[in-house]
């Protein structure tokens, strides 16, 4: 493990005023989004769409890294340029989703465990040769009357450790992504309680297992009321609860913290990040690693009019810019 390389990569990825763009939807998730918009669910259509995302002009002003799916890192543009080479030429770091999704965990309905440790080391050898400098592993937690259970949080933390150690042996920065789902009618206090407890479990497990904390990035959900809650959270409230939670439950020497958008409205995700950066100096870098909140306008435009790639790319870059502004508290 080269601690210097890991620290530098984590810092570069989260340095102001940029953030990470997640385009790592699995084939089935990508197909579901295509289906809703009437786009054919073929490998060629996914390639065509990802080409649009990878070749958008000037996106490198706002984006430090792209998280890709396995299919995508192997693909090329219509005229034969590898996506990985295009990203490298723009000095955008290449990330790779290495988890293989979730399955039910134990006997409590709603608990999920993430899979994907099989042959992870060999897979990372190959991704490293392709130029990957960081990876992502996502665990999900449903807020319900009995979930997430302590056993489920502990089991996912153990998997985060195994994943993070293998990544760091390869000098690849692991993004550790615990997503407390926004689905449900829970209030913001409940989300705080679950997020805080889960972060405590994760960081005590990572630290006691020898994971190098300055060489990881935490990708977390914000502390926010559930989508079905009667009282929705305002940006200032999300900022206050989220920052308190991160200050009290995440080590100060972490390589950086980024957010997923997790089904928030696009504008809401931007306003919430912006509100956090209005609250003064923070002990760590804090930025975005959005998927939907940056891609949505571009995907809708392209689905309606696939010929006009430039229009979709313009919307993509504008969304990246809005979030870049929010990452320094300057979004209006
Ligand atoms: P969303 O911003 O669409 O939640 O995607 C981010 C991500 O990487 C989820 O794993």
């Amino acid at each position: 493990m080269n601690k210097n390389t890991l620290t530098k990569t984590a810092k570069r990825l989260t340095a102001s005023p940029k953030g990470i763009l997640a385009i790592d939807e699995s084939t089935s998730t990508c197909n579901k989004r295509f289906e809703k918009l009437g786009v054919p669910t073929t490998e060629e259509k996914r390639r065509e769409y990802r080409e649009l995302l990878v070749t958008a002009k000037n996106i490198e002003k706002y984006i430090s890294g792209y998280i890709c799916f396995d299919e995508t890192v192997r693909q090329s543009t219509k005229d034969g340029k590898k996506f990985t080479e295009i990203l490298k030429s723009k000095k955008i770091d290449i990330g790779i989703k290495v988890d293989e999704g979730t399955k039910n965990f134990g006997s409590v309905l709603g608990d999920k465990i993430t899979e994907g440790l099989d042959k992870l080391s060999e897979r990372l050898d190959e991704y490293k040769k392709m130029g990957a400098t960081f990876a992502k592993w996502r665990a999900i937690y449903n807020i319900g009357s009995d979930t997430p259970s302590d056993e489920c949080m502990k089991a996912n933390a153990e998997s985060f450790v195994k994943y993070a150690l293998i990544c760091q042996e390869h000098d690849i920065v692991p993004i550790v992504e615990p997503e407390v789902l926004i689905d449900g009618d829970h209030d913001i206090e409940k989300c705080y309680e679950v997020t805080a407890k889960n972060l405590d479990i994760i960081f005590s497990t990572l630290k006691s297992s020898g994971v190098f904390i300055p060489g990881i990035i935490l990708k977390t959900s914000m502390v926010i009321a559930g989508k079905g809650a009667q009282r929705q959270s305002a940006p200032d409230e999300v900022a206050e609860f989220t920052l308190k939670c991160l200050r009290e439950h995440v080590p100060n020497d972490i390589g950086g913290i980024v957010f997923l958008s997790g089904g928030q409205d696009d504008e809401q995700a931007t306003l919430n990040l912006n509100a956090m950066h209005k609250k003064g100096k923070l002990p760590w870098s804090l930025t975005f690693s959005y998927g939907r909140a940056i891609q949505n306008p571009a995907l809708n435009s392209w689905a309606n009019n696939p010929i006009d790639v430039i229009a979709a790319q313009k919307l993509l870059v504008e969304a990246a810019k809005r979030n870049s502004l929010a990452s320094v508290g300057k979004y209006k």
Side-chain angles (χ1 to χ4, degrees):
M1 168 191 324
N2 184 330
K3 292 186 171 175
N4 190 31
T5 303
L6 290 167
T7 308
K8 269 196 188 155
T9 304
K11 291 241 170 305
R12 187 171 64 245
L13 280 165
T14 56
S16 202
K18 297 188 189 180
I20 297 171
L21 175 57
I23 63 160
D24 62 324
E25 300 81 13
S26 63
T27 300
S28 74
T29 302
C30 187
N31 285 349
K32 271 187 218 146
R33 294 195 185 148
F34 279 12
E35 249 167 41
K36 269 195 188 153
L37 296 167
V39 176
T41 56
T42 61
E43 179 171 349
E44 175 50 23
K45 271 293 185 188
R46 292 191 297 276
R47 193 207 59 73
E48 192 184 319
Y49 175 59
R50 262 71 181 253
E51 173 168 347
L52 170 172
L53 300 178
V54 166
T55 58
K57 281 214 176 69
N58 289 329
I59 197 147
E60 61 275 16
K61 287 191 195 162
Y62 314 111
I63 300 292
S64 55
Y66 273 45
I67 315 175
C68 302
F69 186 60
D70 179 81
E71 179 179 88
T72 314
V73 280
R74 301 174 190 283
Q75 287 174 326
S76 302
T77 59
K78 191 91 183 154
D79 56 11
K81 286 194 201 93
K82 282 190 173 308
F83 289 170
T84 48
E85 293 309 317
I86 293 175
L87 292 172
K88 283 183 217 164
S89 73
K90 293 170 175 248
K91 298 206 165 25
I92 290 175
D93 275 74
I94 299 164
I96 180 79
K97 171 190 171 76
V98 295
D99 70 71
E100 293 174 334
T102 62
K103 64 171 185 186
N104 291 337
F105 174 81
S107 55
V108 185
L109 196 66
D111 271 348
K112 300 278 179 190
I113 180 90
T114 302
E115 303 186 283
L117 290 167
D118 277 358
K119 299 216 166 64
L120 180 55
S121 186
E122 291 88 331
R123 285 155 59 210
L124 285 172
D125 286 337
E126 190 193 6
Y127 293 138
K128 195 172 170 176
K129 282 190 199 129
M130 293 175 177
T133 57
F134 69 109
K136 175 186 121 169
W137 179 282
R138 169 175 174 258
I140 56 170
Y141 309 86
N142 274 298
I143 297 187
S145 49
D146 302 315
T147 58
S149 68
D150 287 9
E151 293 71 30
C152 173
M153 289 189 277
K154 283 182 195 153
N156 274 308
E158 293 293 346
S159 297
F160 276 136
V161 163
K162 290 183 187 135
Y163 147 76
L165 287 173
I166 298 173
C167 286
Q168 292 192 330
E169 275 165 20
H170 286 77
D171 298 330
I172 285 183
V173 166
I175 291 187
V176 168
E177 181 180 4
E179 175 173 2
V180 176
L181 296 174
I182 201 167
D183 309 319
D185 57 6
H186 52 271
D187 57 20
I188 191 167
E189 287 82 6
K190 178 69 185 174
C191 182
Y192 184 96
E193 182 195 313
V194 170
T195 307
K197 180 170 185 180
N198 192 34
L199 289 174
D200 283 347
I201 292 174
I202 289 170
F203 283 104
S204 68
T205 315
L206 290 174
K207 279 184 180 170
S208 65
S209 312
V211 172
F212 176 57
I213 300 295
I216 70 168
I217 292 173
L218 171 70
K219 174 160 173 168
T220 179
S221 36
M222 295 179 189
V223 178
I224 189 167
K227 274 228 144 168
Q230 279 209 328
R231 211 175 66 78
Q232 289 294 301
S233 316
D236 200 55
E237 198 182 8
V238 174
E240 213 152 278
F241 275 77
T242 304
L243 291 180
K244 179 175 160 56
C245 191
L246 297 177
R247 279 206 165 95
E248 293 178 6
H249 302 277
V250 177
N252 279 354
D253 64 345
I254 190 148
I257 305 177
V258 296
F259 292 110
L260 53 95
S261 57
Q264 292 184 44
D265 294 342
D266 306 346
E267 173 83 352
Q268 191 188 12
T270 308
L271 288 171
N272 289 342
L273 177 62
N274 194 61
M276 291 184 216
H277 283 282
K278 292 270 188 206
K279 297 216 170 276
K281 221 174 137 37
L282 302 168
W284 4 250
S285 313
L286 184 74
T287 186
F288 59 90
S289 172
Y290 295 157
R292 282 163 286 181
I294 295 181
Q295 289 185 51
N296 278 340
L299 175 58
N300 289 326
S301 160
W302 173 77
N304 273 327
N305 186 4
I307 303 295
D308 200 349
V309 167
I310 302 288
Q313 288 179 322
K314 193 163 169 271
L315 292 171
L316 183 78
V317 175
E318 282 168 5
K321 182 177 181 181
R322 285 195 292 278
N323 287 293
S324 165
L325 287 170
S327 79
V328 289
K330 290 190 176 157
Y331 176 68
K332 291 204 174 73

